[in-house]
Amino acid sequence: ASWRGREAWLPELALTAQRELVIKRAREGRGSAVHIGAATPEPVWRERVVRALADGDWVVQERVESLPSIHQLGERGCGPHDVVWGLFVFGDRYGGGFLSLAPREQGGVINLTRGASPGVIFEVLDDE
């Protein structure tokens, strides 16, 4: 694997770059098998990486923290949210999308089954 311009052995990288990585089971959904390295105690992370390597059906991703977006919070307010953009592509054409939003202080995995709220993407055609 290549990590930040250098060759790296993935099993070693998964342990040494824990705070910068996320591991998730490839065939799971709804955020049920997603583990954020920065939010996992080192012994637990090590155990999960060893299990992932033994199972062989896990994905390692770099954790990217996005800037917060302001959205509705409560009945009469707004506040910072973490947002996951789910985009659809058909071949090389954009086909729409959806948002999953969670108040910033909630932290962790953002998924509708874990308390996130659905959002819409309002598209406006540019006449130019």
Side-chain angles (χ1 to χ4, degrees), residues 49-94:
V49 168
V50 168
R51 184 180 66 203
L53 290 167
D55 292 348
D57 63 345
W58 288 70
V59 175
V60 178
Q61 295 178 324
E62 183 174 4
R63 179 177 174 265
V64 178
E65 188 167 337
S66 62
L67 295 173
S69 296
I70 303 299
H71 291 277
Q72 183 73 36
L73 186 60
E75 288 186 29
R76 297 177 178 243
C78 61
H81 284 67
D82 289 320
V83 181
V84 171
W85 291 68
L87 301 176
F88 299 105
V89 178
F90 300 102
D92 61 354
R93 295 183 57 133
Y94 170 71

Side-chain angles (χ1 to χ4, degrees), residues 1 8-17 21 45-46 49-50 53 60:
W9 188 51
L10 192 55
E12 182 179 314
L13 176 66
L15 295 173
T16 59
L21 298 175
W45 177 261
R46 182 173 291 280
V49 168
V50 168
L53 290 167
V60 178

